[in-house]
Amino acid sequence: MSELVNKDSWVWVMIQDPEKDEQILGQHDQENDISFIPTFLEKDEALKCHNNLVLDKKIKYELQAILFEELEREAAENGFLIFILNGSGEVLDKI
């Protein structure tokens, strides 16, 4: 478990297709072959980092808060790590 969050923490993630086939946005680090969910502790940090994420311009995205415990479960079920990022896109923790 991270020192930055616990199971009861609310964190921010980007949701793609929020009105249709809602999914948590994942990213892929091709250099290290790692799939991860960019996660933020504060909404402002997520908004600052928005332009650093790889996004499909044809898809609508929405920033949403999620309980960390739920995010952990979703990530594990789908083979993703969780990267806690700051507004500059720097990795603060990997879970």
Side-chain angles (χ1 to χ4, degrees), residues 1-64:
M1 181 54 71
S2 171
E3 292 181 14
L4 299 174
V5 293
N6 61 52
K7 292 192 179 296
D8 297 330
S9 298
W10 287 91
V11 293
W12 293 88
V13 295
M14 195 66 71
I15 302 294
Q16 61 187 37
D17 278 337
E19 296 160 359
K20 296 183 226 165
D21 187 23
E22 186 172 290
Q23 290 184 332
I24 297 171
L25 174 71
Q27 301 281 274
H28 187 76
D29 175 353
Q30 293 194 0
E31 184 176 311
N32 297 304
D33 194 26
I34 297 171
S35 294
F36 67 94
I37 298 172
T39 305
F40 303 89
L41 301 176
E42 303 291 333
K43 185 177 184 179
D44 290 343
E45 294 295 300
L47 291 171
K48 287 179 194 174
C49 189
H50 181 266
N51 291 331
N52 295 332
L53 301 175
V54 178
L55 304 174
D56 183 338
K57 297 193 185 305
K58 298 177 222 156
I59 297 175
K60 181 178 178 180
Y61 296 91
E62 180 177 287
L63 196 56
Q64 291 184 12

